[in-house]
DNA sequence: AGTCTGACCTGAT
DNA sequence: GATCAGGCCAGAC
């Protein structure tokens, strides 16, 4: 048999989706995972680096998915532009986020990162291998 | 299939 | 100076 009744899925080398970039989600993870210890970043910064400055909301949603991510994502190092631990409520324990930050040497008071502009870490562009 | 929300940010009133 | 609304992408129901 070999008949191939029809071109079921036949040759379609690549219509138009060579997989440019997986999902901006993976990009976000890549950036978040690159955050060094003792540093924090903001959703907007990640979103901008990911190429979606107007979509900072999705970054938060991405963090939510981070719990389901194959690898642990330091979501506790991600705070909003004000340095507030807005997502701390989404952690296993509402104090875990602060605990982790303090454990890394970051001073947190009242759910607010102290010296935010000093511990703030600007994420680099996800350099892609040529 | 369409609809809605989501850990936000920025600009304008 | 504070408040309101808009915007973007992706997943879940």
């Amino acid at each position: 048999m070999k008949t191939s009744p029809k071109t079921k899925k036949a040759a379609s080398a690549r219509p138009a989706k060579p997989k440019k970039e997986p999902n901006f989600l993976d990009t976000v993870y890549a950036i978040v995972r690159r955050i060094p210890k003792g540093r924090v970043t903001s959703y907007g910064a990640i979103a901008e680096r990911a190429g979606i400055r107007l979509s900072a909301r999705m970054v938060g949603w991405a963090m939510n998915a981070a719990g389901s991510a194959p690898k642990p994502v330091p979501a506790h190092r991600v705070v909003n532009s004000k340095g507030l631990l807005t997502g701390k409520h989404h952690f296993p324990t509402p104090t875990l986020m602060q605990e982790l930050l303090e454990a890394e040497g970051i001073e947190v008071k009242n759910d607010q990162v102290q010296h935010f502009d000093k511990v703030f870490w600007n994420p680099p562009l996800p350099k892609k291998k040529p």
Side-chain angles (χ1 to χ4, degrees):
Chain A
M1 334 157 321
K2 64 196 102 185
T3 81
S4 285
K6 255 138 203 201
T7 66
K8 207 122 178 256
K9 56 203 333 203
S12 304
R14 257 172 196 138
K17 232 189 236 130
K19 63 184 59 183
K20 214 164 96 128
E21 281 169 14
N23 289 337
F24 94 104
L25 209 162
D26 284 349
T27 306
V28 173
Y29 288 156
I31 296 169
V32 175
R33 281 189 218 150
R34 284 181 154 184
I35 301 173
K37 178 177 143 193
R39 287 273 145 95
V40 295
T41 187
S42 66
Y43 295 92
I46 297 169
E48 190 173 45
R49 266 356 182 189
I52 50 171
R53 176 183 72 182
L54 302 177
S55 306
R57 295 163 71 177
M58 278 101 238
V59 179
W61 158 77
M63 293 289 118
N64 187 4
S68 278
K71 268 182 188 174
V73 179
H76 62 273
R77 290 179 188 158
V78 183
V79 296
N80 68 354
S81 291
K82 298 174 210 159
L84 290 173
L85 284 54
T86 53
K88 74 169 194 176
H89 286 150
H90 291 260
F91 276 77
T93 52
T95 52
L96 180 62
M97 189 171 189
Q98 183 169 341
E99 292 283 324
L100 291 170
L101 290 173
E102 289 183 335
E104 294 191 350
I106 298 172
E107 191 173 354
V108 180
K109 191 139 212 177
N110 221 359
D111 302 342
Q112 189 168 357
V113 176
Q114 303 299 308
H115 308 289
F116 177 59
D117 53 337
K118 295 190 180 196
V119 296
F120 181 81
W121 173 79
N122 195 352
L125 286 168
K127 192 96 177 268
K128 260 191 322 182
K129 68 172 317 119

